[in-house]
Amino acid sequence: MALVPCQVLRAAILLSYCSILCNYKAIDMPAHQTYGGSWKFLTFIDLVIQAVFFGICVLTDLSSLLTRGNDSQEQERQLKKLISLRDWMMAVLAFPVGVFVVTMFWTIYIYDRELVYPKLLDNFIPAWLNHGMHTTVLPFVLIEMRTTHHQYPSRSCGLAAVCTFAVGYILWVCWIHHVTGVWVYPLLEHLSPGVKIIFFAAVTVIINVFYLVGEVLNNYIWDTQK
């Protein structure tokens, strides 16, 4: 795919995330006023991750166009840093966290939506915004993976970074419960302490599996193994 269409596509995706974030923050929901605000929800954190990631993609594209035909070594070095940051975010955050949010949300939603997205939220969040937060993330990140080859870090470093993110978020959820006495997700209210530990361990394993899926898919698309 040509460079210019890719640039336009990334810019459009970035604008869509900015629109989703602005509309979400404009909603007057009681949950936004409690401890942790929007930052206690993985969906919101993922939206920020995706917006930052595609912002870096757009910045990388612009830098690439500006440095084309330029012999400045300093600009070339800065461009390589941007590309490395873009690739790292794709591998460690954008793909595994994005895929995790989409698959986990809709799996639990289909089983019993009250455990993850109570029907009461329909009064605050329109259907299009719900899909913007929980559906389009997957095709957007797959489009990016298909249009651009991303250099993955070493597997040990990548998995360590993903584990750090997962454990950090789990500790954040537990801390919110410690402070407020309320779990961020209704699902956790129905689990015993022992089952919660198993659930958190399973969640960490799943997001690591999604990291490996992203690595394999990236290699398959771009045939980097040959």
Side-chain angles (χ1 to χ4, degrees), residues 24 31 34 37-46 97 100-101 104-105 108 112-118 121 134 165-166 169-174 176-177 180-191 196 199-200 203:
Y24 178 75
T34 57
S38 302
W39 291 98
K40 58 178 169 283
F41 301 112
L42 186 59
T43 292
F44 179 77
I45 294 174
D46 178 52
V97 178
F100 177 84
V101 167
M104 287 296 290
F105 174 83
I108 299 175
D112 183 356
R113 66 170 296 178
E114 294 298 319
L115 296 176
V116 67
Y117 192 82
L121 292 179
H134 297 117
F165 174 85
Y169 180 70
I170 290 170
L171 292 176
W172 171 231
V173 168
C174 292
I176 292 173
H177 177 261
T180 65
V182 178
W183 288 104
V184 174
Y185 302 103
L187 168 67
L188 297 173
E189 301 283 358
H190 302 277
L191 304 180
K196 281 189 183 73
F199 176 77
F200 288 143
V203 162

Side-chain angles (χ1 to χ4, degrees), residues 139-151:
F140 283 168
V141 79
L142 289 175
I143 288 171
E144 170 60 22
M145 180 170 282
R146 178 62 186 86
T147 57
T148 305
H149 173 248
H150 297 274
Q151 184 67 44

Side-chain angles (χ1 to χ4, degrees), residues 43-150:
T43 292
F44 179 77
I45 294 174
D46 178 52
L47 287 176
V48 173
I49 288 172
Q50 302 297 332
V52 171
F53 168 68
F54 279 99
I56 293 173
C57 288
V58 171
L59 183 59
T60 302
D61 287 338
L62 290 175
S63 298
S64 179
L65 286 175
L66 292 174
T67 56
R68 181 176 293 178
N70 193 325
D71 295 332
S72 172
Q73 293 184 352
E74 178 61 26
Q75 289 183 348
E76 190 71 24
R77 185 162 55 249
Q78 295 301 322
L79 177 59
K80 288 181 179 179
K81 288 181 180 179
L82 268 178
I83 292 174
S84 296
L85 177 60
R86 179 200 66 188
D87 292 350
W88 185 88
M89 279 203 68
M90 176 65 171
V92 172
L93 295 174
F95 186 88
V97 178
V99 176
F100 177 84
V101 167
V102 172
T103 54
M104 287 296 290
F105 174 83
W106 287 112
T107 298
I108 299 175
Y109 184 97
I110 292 171
Y111 174 74
D112 183 356
R113 66 170 296 178
E114 294 298 319
L115 296 176
V116 67
Y117 192 82
K119 199 168 185 179
L120 176 66
L121 292 179
D122 290 341
N123 297 324
F124 300 94
I125 303 177
W128 72 266
L129 186 56
N130 179 30
H131 285 291
M133 297 187 297
H134 297 117
T135 305
T136 58
V137 174
L138 181 57
F140 283 168
V141 79
L142 289 175
I143 288 171
E144 170 60 22
M145 180 170 282
R146 178 62 186 86
T147 57
T148 305
H149 173 248
H150 297 274

